[in-house]
Amino acid sequence: MALSLAAPASPGWMSPTVPQHTARAVPGHNRWHPDIPAVAEVISGGSVRMDCQSRWDLDDRDPHADAILCGPLSVVGAEPGDVIVVDILAIGRSDGRYSGAAHPGIIGCAPGAESLRSVRADPDGALLGHVRPGLAAYEPVAAQAVRSVSRGHEIGGCAVARLTAGSRIMLPVRAPGAKLSVGDLHFPAGRVTDCQESALAGWIDLRINLTKRGVERFRVTGPLLMPDPDRAA
């Protein structure tokens, strides 16, 4: 996986490759926890390109495999009770082929520490980014970290709406920095109903804006997805 804070291309599927020297490799994660360290910071209004691997890269096409997520990305100044507004600028395949109605399978912010108590953790096979096995912090974090499937409606994904280029999602902040992660990119052919088999490695360009006290001001208590109106028509 790699991440670049260079300005991405304009919306659309044909996006030039970010120059190699502007990107850097980052470890992925397949669990959610507020103590997973951020791999980078972005200011409100900033743009980022996140390179995501396929869920099949490590698990030989196991349909129950946990998606490997890119991030977390810390939004400067974000605090619990705020909202981040994420615009999907462009999505593309790593092999450069036409991406069609590409969209992320998972996108969301880190959970709050209080919500971890109500979810059953599953430490087996946990990838925690920079918190690697053998480090003192690994076992305590792995013992509480939750799988994407256990987050339910706390995170956005294609099971709710397909966030193609031109779409927007509003996410309530539950942990300092928001700690945004995204992954499991899908590249379905046409308007197929089941897009799970179309998960491939690729990149996604995002623009992120911070709205202070957005939960109180706009009553955004869960992901608010706004698909591209041209594709939804």
Side-chain angles (χ1 to χ4, degrees):
M1 291 197 177
L3 181 144
S4 172
L5 297 179
S10 299
W13 71 269
M14 294 186 65
S15 176
T17 302
V18 173
Q20 188 65 36
H21 70 276
T22 67
R24 60 186 177 87
V26 295
H29 62 101
N30 63 1
R31 297 290 193 279
W32 301 83
H33 194 286
D35 290 342
I36 296 177
V39 296
E41 290 185 332
V42 62
I43 62 172
S44 181
S47 300
V48 62
R49 170 167 291 187
M50 304 174 84
D51 287 303
C52 304
Q53 68 187 79
S54 167
R55 69 160 60 219
W56 312 127
D57 288 349
L58 298 178
D59 293 278
D60 193 27
R61 305 193 72 79
D62 177 1
H64 302 294
D66 293 293
I68 310 298
L69 306 175
C70 187
L73 186 68
S74 179
V75 181
V76 175
E79 300 172 317
D82 296 341
V83 166
I84 60 170
V85 181
V86 183
D87 291 303
I88 314 297
L89 301 180
I91 308 176
R93 290 171 52 154
S94 294
D95 59 13
R97 298 177 63 182
Y98 175 65
S99 57
H103 56 274
I106 298 172
I107 184 169
C109 294
E114 68 284 350
S115 68
L116 299 177
R117 305 186 188 99
S118 60
V119 179
R120 180 180 177 183
D122 183 3
D124 292 340
L127 299 177
L128 305 175
H130 285 299
V131 183
R132 302 181 184 278
L135 296 179
Y138 180 82
E139 288 192 10
V141 174
Q144 292 184 315
V146 297
R147 300 174 60 187
S148 294
V149 68
S150 299
R151 297 282 317 270
H153 294 298
E154 281 194 354
I155 57 177
C158 59
V160 179
R162 297 184 180 184
L163 290 170
T164 54
S167 302
R168 169 177 288 182
I169 183 170
M170 301 175 70
L171 295 164
V173 176
R174 306 180 190 279
K179 293 191 173 177
L180 174 71
S181 295
V182 63
D184 193 26
L185 303 185
H186 295 173
F187 301 91
R191 293 181 175 271
V192 296
T193 303
D194 185 1
C195 60
Q196 295 300 316
E197 288 297 317
S198 64
L200 297 169
W203 51 263
I204 183 169
D205 289 344
L206 306 173
R207 181 172 57 237
I208 302 162
N209 284 281
L210 174 64
T211 299
K212 299 298 292 182
R213 297 179 19 252
V215 171
E216 175 188 351
R217 292 164 61 193
F218 306 114
R219 307 296 182 187
V220 179
T221 58
L224 179 59
L225 293 81
M226 291 171 277
D228 178 6
D230 292 334
R231 291 188 180 272

